[in-house]
């Protein structure tokens, strides 16, 4: 197993002590099969117990360990050491305030996620005793991709528009609204449109597509945003040019 | 100290905690519900469950079959009244999730699809590809956002229960971002804070699985039940313990030793079944304890494959073909390629058993109530017990739904039963003690002990003495070692003196939880002089129904090892029998 000495340059910030963020460099003996999270854990266990960062599953499903690695938003548990040179810079996710070291304040994202009513608003009521709603594999495929978001927020860190206009509801939340809108069991699109189709909703998106590029789960939020835009445009035309046609 | 007044407070916001919160909000919209977790709900480890959730829905299945599979799979240590309640409620809970939008995989006609799982006589595992736990967790989290009465306290670490007048009346919790202690007052508390797999070095469990909920209840006097039963999942990636779901074998994957032999046939699970046509409840679809134990024997015989990550056997899925693997096991393929650099479509994957699940936990009755009035528990942190000595794959996701809801119902009934008025001064004094305990970690001068040093020694001794096969001698050594570590733990200090998001402090507290739980595992195992399910003793190889058809109960002592007591198993209709996973049965 080949081992490499990596210079890990980590952003440090303790609001109780530091007036501004600074960088601290650790020299870490890394196995080539390691991910950046393994290197951080090595630091935490052996070099400096004061370093703070979030992590849990180490298998890219809990979404805790999103951070900027050499300037790109990545999951630390899926950023392989062998893909980097001997110097790796690690910073907290861009566009979010820093709480401490690599830990960001994510309340804004959580609020936006809640604002799009990301839950099934059933078309028809059905008691449990009547069994499951039928949904064919073809109907499932229409929205399945958008259910795969792990809320890691890499797309917000990559989105230039969210950096400029923090009110923008953003890729993951809009993709999640779209997920429920596309679900054959759902009848809640109108209720979601209020947020999703607002000025801070899809119309803020400048379609750079960076969100889809960084998504570790291939959710393609950019695709979802474009579909929402098209659907919202059709709504507008129907409403203003053909008021006699029901949505 | 700020006091947060609630009606019912829940510790843990994974599957069981969220299910409990939603149940409470639906039963009474006026309730003040506090959902308190050391992580944001979607980070909870429910998200890592892959295979699926068991519940009888198909016409060829029956509640009796699910009952028999569960009780036999648990080597008759399950409480049969609890199992009966569980299997009855299971389908309703899974349909409820479907109504909340869970993207279950489907049959061509639109009905929910089921897949085969180990130890099950009939296909009954509902699944959402191989990300079932992830989808269950996110469906519950997103659904919980509908209810304004669920007030979340994300990233609050519960430190101590408040017990006065003989009942649990809340807890203290550290707000991680500020380091401030808060007092949560509640008429009832539900603990749903997951397992403690992190006491072992090689585990599928995420970093957060440190037994904090178990330790909370244990230190407050509620016993831990059946802690000696630790489940090894037979198929973990050898380099980092990442789980490859049982669905791999359910879909037809086979296990091979270094000679390419399907060695399970040599351990009472034969005869060999045709490759790619899995037969239920035999060979690769035997139960997890038997499969993990077979690995150990193969290793002893020198039949394992030697890899740079240690001894392995091979999980061969190549015959399933790329299309089926992509459709049914996309995460498995991604994990193998990403973390091992191997593609299951093209080559067999080296795997070995890995610590996965604690059958034991906080002792509860069939109503999810602990012996401590006002305290309820559900999910992996609890032991009802439906899982007995060995949990069947896909029963735990259903369990957290069924008993998460049950805990909510019981807590509400308890709250409405007419409780004495809380004595604020008594609770405040306890909260102050809890705060002082945390402060001591800051104030203690730096000594010899490090958190990581103690943690490494704990994990090492647990693997040495309390692994797949155990001996009296090995367990005695592990018990001594854990007792020593608990003493040394008293001397630890933290280097990080900041109040803001102090993970040094969190890890110190988590280590304390793990040590308490580890001691209950080791002492329980040392005292159980028989082999049953996941607890296998080389010095007591037979099951002893005469003396040990009993649950163990570990009672906490602050300085000494736990006192172990025993409780009869509830048998209603299935007398202990032989667990036969040979293909020749019937």
């Amino acid at each position: 197993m080949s081992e490499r000495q990596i210079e890990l340059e980590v952003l440090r910030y303790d609001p109780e002590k530091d007036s501004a963020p600074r960088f601290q460099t650790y020299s870490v003996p890394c196995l080539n099969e390691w991910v950046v999270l393994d290197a951080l854990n090595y630091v935490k266990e052996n070099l400096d117990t004061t370093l703070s960062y979030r992590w849990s599953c180490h298998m890219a499903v809990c979404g805790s360990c999103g951070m900027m690695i050499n300037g790109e938003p990545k999951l630390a548990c899926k950023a392989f050491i062998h893909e980097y040179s001997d110097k790796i810079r690690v910073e907290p996710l861009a566009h979010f305030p820093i709480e401490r070291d690599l830990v960001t304040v994510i309340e804004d994202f959580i609020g936006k996620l809640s604002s799009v009513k990301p839950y099934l608003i059933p078309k028809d009521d059905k008691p449990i005793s009547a069994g499951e709603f039928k949904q064919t594999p073809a109907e499932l495929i229409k929205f399945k991709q958008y259910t795969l978001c792990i809320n890691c927020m890499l797309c917000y860190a990559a989105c230039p528009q969210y950096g400029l206009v923090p009110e923008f509801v953003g890729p993951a939340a809009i993709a999640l609204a779209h997920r429920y809108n596309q679900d054959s069991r759902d009848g809640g699109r109108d209720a979601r449109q209020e947020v999703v189709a607002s000025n801070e909703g899809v119309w803020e998106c400048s379609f750079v597509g960076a969100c889809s590029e960084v998504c570790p789960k291939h959710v393609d939020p950019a695709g979802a945003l474009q579909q929402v835009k098209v659907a919202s445009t059709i709504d507008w035309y129907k409403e203003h040019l053909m008021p006699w046609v029901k949505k | 100290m700020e006091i947060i007044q609630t009606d019912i407070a829940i510790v843990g916001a994974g599957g069981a905690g969220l299910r409990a919160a939603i149940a409470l909000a639906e039963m009474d919209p006026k309730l003040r519900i506090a959902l308190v977790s050391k992580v944001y709900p979607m980070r909870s480890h429910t998200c890592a469950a892959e295979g699926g959730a068991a519940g009888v829905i198909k016409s060829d299945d029956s509640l009796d079959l699910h009952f028999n599979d569960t009780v036999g799979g648990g080597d008759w240590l399950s409480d049969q009244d609890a199992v009966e309640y569980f299997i009855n409620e299971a389908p309703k809970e899974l349909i409820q999730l479907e109504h909340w939008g869970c993207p279950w995989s489907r049959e061509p006609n639109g009905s929910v699809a089921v897949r085969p799982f180990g130890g099950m006589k009939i296909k009954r595992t509902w699944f959402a590809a191989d990300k079932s736990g992830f989808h269950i967790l996110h469906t519950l989290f997103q659904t919980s956002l509908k209810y304004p009465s669920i007030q979340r306290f994300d990233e609050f670490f519960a430190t101590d229960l408040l017990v006065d007048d003989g009942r649990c009346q809340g807890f203290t919790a550290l707000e991680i971002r500020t380091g401030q202690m808060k007092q949560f007052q509640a008429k009832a508390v539900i603990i749903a804070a997951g397992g403690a797999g992190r006491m072992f070095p090689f585990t599928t469990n995420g970093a957060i699985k440190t037994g904090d909920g178990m330790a909370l209840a244990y230190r407050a006097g509620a016993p831990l039940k059946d802690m000696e039963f630790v489940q090894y999942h037979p198929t973990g990636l050898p380099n980092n313990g990442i789980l490859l779901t049982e669905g791999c074998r359910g879909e037809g994957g086979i296990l091979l030793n270094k000679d390419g032999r399907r060695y399970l046939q040599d351990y009472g699970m034969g005869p060999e079944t045709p490759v790619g046509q899995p037969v239920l409840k035999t060979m690769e679809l035997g139960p997890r304890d038997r499969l993990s134990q077979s690995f150990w024997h193969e290793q002893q015989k020198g039949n394992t494959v030697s890899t740079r990550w240690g001894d392995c056997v091979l999980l061969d899925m190549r015959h399933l073909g790329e299309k089926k693997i992509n459709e049914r096991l996309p995460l498995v393929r991604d994990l193998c390629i990403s973390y091992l650099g191997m593609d299951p479509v093209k080559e067999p994957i080296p795997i070995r058993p890995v610590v996965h699940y604690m059958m034991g936990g906080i002792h509860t009755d069939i109503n999810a109530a602990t012996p401590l009035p006002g305290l309820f528990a559900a999910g992996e942190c609890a032991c009802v017990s439906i899982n007995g000595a060995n949990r069947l794959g896909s029963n735990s996701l259903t369990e957290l739904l069924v008993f998460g809801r049950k805990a909510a119902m019981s807590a509400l009934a308890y709250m409405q039963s007419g409780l004495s008025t809380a004595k604020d001064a008594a609770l405040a004094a306890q909260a102050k003690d809890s705060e002082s305990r945390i402060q001591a970690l800051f104030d203690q001068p730096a000594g010899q002990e490090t958190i990581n040093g103690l943690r490494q020694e704990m994990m090492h001794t647990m693997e040495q003495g309390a692994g797949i096969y155990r001996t009296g001698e090995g367990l005695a050594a592990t018990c001594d070692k854990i007792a020593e570590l608990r003493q040394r733990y008293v001397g630890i200090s933290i280097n990080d003196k900041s109040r803001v998001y102090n993970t040094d402090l969190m890890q110190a507290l988590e280590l304390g939880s793990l040590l308490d739980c580890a001691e209950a595992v080791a002492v329980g195992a040392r005292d159980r002089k028989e082999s049953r399910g996941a607890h296998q003793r080389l010095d007591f190889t037979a099951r002893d129904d005469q003396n040990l058809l009993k649950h163990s109960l570990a009672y906490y002592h602050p300085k000494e090892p736990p006192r172990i007591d025993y409780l009869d198993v509830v048998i209603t209709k299935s007398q202990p029998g032989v667990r036969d996973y040979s293909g020749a049965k019937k």
Side-chain angles (χ1 to χ4, degrees):
Chain A
M1 246 176 289
S2 52
E3 198 178 288
R4 256 198 318 155
Q5 205 67 26
I6 299 285
E7 298 290 298
L8 201 63
E9 199 179 23
V10 184
L11 183 138
R12 302 299 309 272
Y13 175 64
D14 178 354
E16 289 190 342
K17 285 201 316 225
D18 302 319
S19 53
R22 60 195 166 84
F23 281 94
Q24 185 165 356
T25 302
Y26 302 96
S27 185
V28 184
C30 292
L31 296 180
N32 228 6
E33 67 187 45
W34 274 14
V35 289
V36 170
L37 176 60
D38 296 318
L40 288 170
N41 286 343
Y42 182 91
V43 172
K44 181 83 176 166
E45 289 179 2
N46 301 289
L47 305 176
D48 186 351
T49 65
T50 70
L51 179 64
S52 277
Y53 52 97
R54 293 185 178 106
W55 75 286
S56 178
C57 75
H58 200 291
M59 56 185 279
V61 68
C62 80
S64 304
C65 68
M67 45 191 83
M68 307 302 285
I69 298 176
N70 283 354
E72 275 181 85
K74 291 267 186 192
L75 293 177
C77 71
K78 231 188 163 182
F80 291 88
I81 295 286
H82 65 78
E83 290 171 5
Y84 293 91
S85 68
D86 293 345
K87 196 166 181 175
I88 302 174
R89 177 180 272 227
V90 186
E91 300 163 89
L93 268 189
H95 302 156
F96 292 92
I98 305 175
E99 181 102 65
R100 163 92 192 261
D101 298 340
L102 299 171
V103 177
T104 53
V105 182
I106 66 169
E107 261 60 37
D108 182 56
F109 168 73
I110 300 288
K112 283 173 175 159
L113 204 64
S114 312
S115 75
V116 301
K117 299 187 167 63
Y119 37 80
L120 200 82
I121 301 172
K123 225 186 298 185
D124 313 298
D125 260 341
K126 191 171 175 173
I128 299 296
S129 56
E132 81 262 44
F133 289 102
K134 296 283 188 249
Q135 182 167 67
T136 63
E139 287 170 325
L140 175 63
I141 281 174
K142 275 185 79 181
F143 69 93
K144 184 72 202 258
Q145 181 179 10
Y146 307 116
T147 65
L148 300 178
C149 171
I150 61 172
N151 300 168
C152 67
M153 299 169 294
L154 300 193
C155 54
Y156 285 76
C159 174
Q161 205 61 14
Y162 181 62
L164 292 170
V165 185
E167 293 76 23
F168 177 34
V169 177
I174 293 174
L176 188 59
H178 188 57
R179 167 252 178 276
Y180 281 102
N181 288 345
Q182 294 298 304
D183 191 318
S184 57
R185 298 165 290 187
D186 187 82
R189 180 167 173 266
D190 287 351
R192 289 182 201 104
Q193 280 299 85
E194 202 181 310
V195 173
V196 172
S198 69
N199 285 338
E200 290 74 37
V202 278
W203 303 111
E204 270 302 340
C205 167
S206 49
F207 202 42
V208 174
C211 49
S212 292
E213 277 171 38
V214 300
C215 177
K217 293 287 153 184
H218 313 294
V219 172
D220 191 17
L225 272 128
Q226 292 323 297
Q227 290 180 29
V228 173
K229 279 186 189 175
V230 170
S232 302
T233 307
I234 293 170
D235 281 354
W236 188 90
Y237 277 104
K238 278 185 183 165
E239 205 173 309
H240 290 84
L241 304 180
M242 303 182 284
W244 60 90
V245 180
K246 274 193 175 167
K247 266 199 267 187
Chain B
M1 192 185 308
E2 186 189 349
I3 297 174
I4 295 158
Q5 294 285 356
T6 73
D7 291 316
I8 296 177
I10 303 166
V11 181
L18 284 164
R19 182 66 189 90
I22 294 170
L24 289 168
E26 288 197 328
M27 285 187 290
D28 180 357
K30 289 193 292 294
L31 279 180
R32 295 169 302 171
I33 304 156
L35 185 57
V36 181
S37 172
K38 69 175 179 177
V39 292
Y40 284 87
M42 61 282 193
R43 313 305 185 210
S44 307
H45 202 63
T46 305
C47 74
E50 296 172 7
V56 173
I57 179 117
K58 299 294 181 189
S59 55
D60 61 349
D61 200 0
S62 76
L63 295 175
D64 274 348
L65 286 173
H66 193 186
F67 177 91
N68 290 337
D69 287 343
T70 301
V71 170
D75 217 350
W76 281 272
L77 196 71
S78 313
D79 281 332
Q80 296 180 11
D81 54 348
V83 174
E84 193 139 5
Y85 176 77
F86 165 72
I87 53 161
N88 273 311
E89 294 301 308
K92 295 178 222 165
E93 280 299 309
L94 298 179
I95 291 169
Q96 175 65 77
L97 265 189
E98 197 278 333
H99 286 198
W100 284 334
C102 188
W104 296 117
S105 293
R106 302 283 178 159
E107 308 277 12
N109 71 3
S111 64
V112 167
V114 289
R115 68 164 33 137
F117 242 62
M120 300 276 194
K121 200 174 167 65
I122 295 275
K123 290 199 277 186
R124 72 167 69 90
T125 297
W126 299 42
F127 62 102
D130 55 359
K131 297 168 186 164
S132 308
F134 167 81
H135 287 301
I136 289 175
L137 181 68
H138 281 252
T139 299
L140 287 170
F141 171 57
Q142 289 158 14
T143 301
S144 79
L145 299 171
K146 268 200 296 201
Y147 302 98
S149 63
I150 301 174
Q151 196 183 354
R152 284 209 326 274
F153 296 86
D154 299 329
E155 301 197 320
F156 280 67
F157 189 107
T159 56
D160 289 284
L161 293 181
L162 302 174
V163 181
D164 187 47
D165 205 12
R167 62 185 175 95
C168 180
Q169 303 193 24
F171 50 84
T172 47
L174 209 54
E175 184 180 34
I176 299 174
R177 70 188 297 183
T178 62
Q180 282 177 7
M181 192 69 106
K182 312 278 179 187
Q183 187 195 135
F184 286 81
Q185 285 193 11
K187 300 182 179 86
V189 171
I190 299 170
I191 299 184
R198 281 268 155 184
M199 69 176 69
F200 288 88
F202 188 62
T203 174
T204 61
N205 285 194
I208 59 175
K209 298 275 301 279
T210 51
D212 310 300
M214 292 179 181
L216 263 187
Y218 183 46
R219 289 195 295 254
L224 298 181
K225 181 163 74 186
D226 292 342
M227 289 294 280
E228 58 271 33
F229 297 96
V230 177
Q231 179 162 79
Y232 277 77
H233 194 291
T235 59
L237 287 185
N239 51 342
N240 50 22
I242 287 176
L243 172 74
L244 299 186
T245 170
E246 201 156 299
C248 297
R249 286 168 284 127
E251 298 298 341
I254 55 173
L255 291 176
L256 304 173
N257 68 12
K258 76 171 190 327
D259 304 317
R261 178 171 172 81
R262 288 171 71 193
Y263 60 90
L264 295 176
Q265 62 188 295
D266 302 328
Y267 302 97
M269 286 176 275
E272 207 172 331
T273 51
V275 172
Q277 297 168 42
V279 175
L280 288 148
K281 229 172 161 176
T282 190
M283 286 300 288
E284 282 81 4
L285 292 180
R288 290 177 179 174
D289 55 343
R290 291 284 173 85
L291 265 65
S292 296
Q293 289 151 17
S294 304
F295 170 87
W296 184 91
H297 289 290
E298 285 293 287
Q299 192 178 28
Q300 299 297 307
K301 292 180 189 167
N303 287 345
T304 44
V305 180
S306 163
T307 75
R308 58 196 170 110
W309 308 287
D311 294 335
C312 291
V313 288
L314 299 171
L315 173 61
D316 194 349
M317 292 178 271
R318 288 174 298 178
H319 51 277
L320 302 183
E322 186 167 5
K323 185 169 174 287
K324 187 163 185 182
I325 289 177
N326 285 347
E327 184 192 312
R328 294 293 182 97
L329 303 163
L331 178 65
V332 164
R333 188 177 184 193
D334 180 29
L335 293 170
C336 291
I337 292 173
S338 296
Y339 293 103
L340 208 58
M342 298 177 84
D343 185 349
V345 170
K346 297 181 185 135
E347 54 206 319
I349 303 298
I351 49 99
R352 65 184 173 109
V354 53
V355 167
H356 184 53
Y357 185 87
M358 313 285 297
M359 267 71 75
I362 305 164
H363 172 42
T364 76
D365 63 13
I366 188 172
N367 297 314
T370 76
L372 177 61
L375 183 67
F376 303 81
E380 190 180 351
C381 72
C383 182
V384 176
S385 152
I386 63 156
N387 299 312
N390 170 60
R391 176 176 69 79
L392 287 191
S394 74
N395 267 352
S396 67
L397 285 175
T398 313
E399 178 184 2
L400 55 82
L401 299 167
V402 169
F403 289 99
R405 175 164 167 272
K406 186 69 187 175
M409 290 157 61
S410 301
L412 182 61
Y414 174 82
M415 179 190 138
Q416 291 165 341
S417 67
L419 302 172
S420 56
T421 314
K423 293 196 280 289
D424 287 344
L427 298 179
Q430 287 183 34
K432 189 79 202 144
D433 285 349
S434 182
E435 193 172 33
S436 308
R437 183 168 74 85
I438 305 299
Q439 185 58 40
L441 288 166
F442 282 95
D443 296 342
Q444 190 135 290
Q448 295 297 310
E449 305 294 356
T450 65
I451 294 166
N452 185 46
L454 293 182
R455 187 170 48 213
Q456 296 297 335
E457 287 186 49
M458 169 191 66
M459 295 190 299
H460 179 72
T461 193
M462 289 307 287
E463 188 171 54
Q464 287 292 306
I468 297 178
Y469 277 93
R470 301 157 169 183
T471 64
E473 202 183 347
L475 283 162
T478 296
C479 289
D480 290 348
K481 184 70 187 179
I482 298 284
E484 173 206 314
L485 293 173
R486 276 185 72 205
Q487 280 177 9
R488 287 163 57 192
Y489 175 78
V490 177
I492 65 161
S493 59
I494 53 175
N495 299 317
D496 190 346
K497 306 295 184 191
S498 175
R499 296 285 164 183
V500 181
Y501 217 97
N502 187 331
T503 49
D504 202 13
L505 172 62
M506 292 307 124
Q507 291 195 352
L509 297 173
E510 290 170 339
L511 175 62
S513 304
L514 282 172
L515 283 170
D516 288 345
C517 295
E519 193 169 42
V521 171
V523 173
R526 184 196 62 197
D527 289 3
R528 184 175 285 275
K529 295 186 172 73
E530 65 160 351
S531 288
R532 184 187 296 273
H535 172 70
Q536 292 292 315
R537 290 278 297 253
L538 292 170
D539 45 353
F540 296 94
T541 54
R543 196 175 75 191
D544 180 3
D545 291 328
Q546 195 76 42
N547 299 303
L548 285 165
L549 190 58
K550 290 176 193 307
H551 302 293
S552 68
L553 296 175
Y555 289 86
Y556 177 80
H557 189 286
K559 293 204 173 73
E560 283 166 26
R563 173 175 64 86
I564 303 288
D565 205 351
Y566 293 90
L567 178 71
D568 285 340
V569 170
V570 178
I571 306 274
T572 57
K573 57 185 186 190
S574 173
Q575 291 303 317
V578 177
R579 296 174 72 205
D580 186 359
Y581 294 101
S582 72
K585 63 180 180 289
K586 279 177 209 157

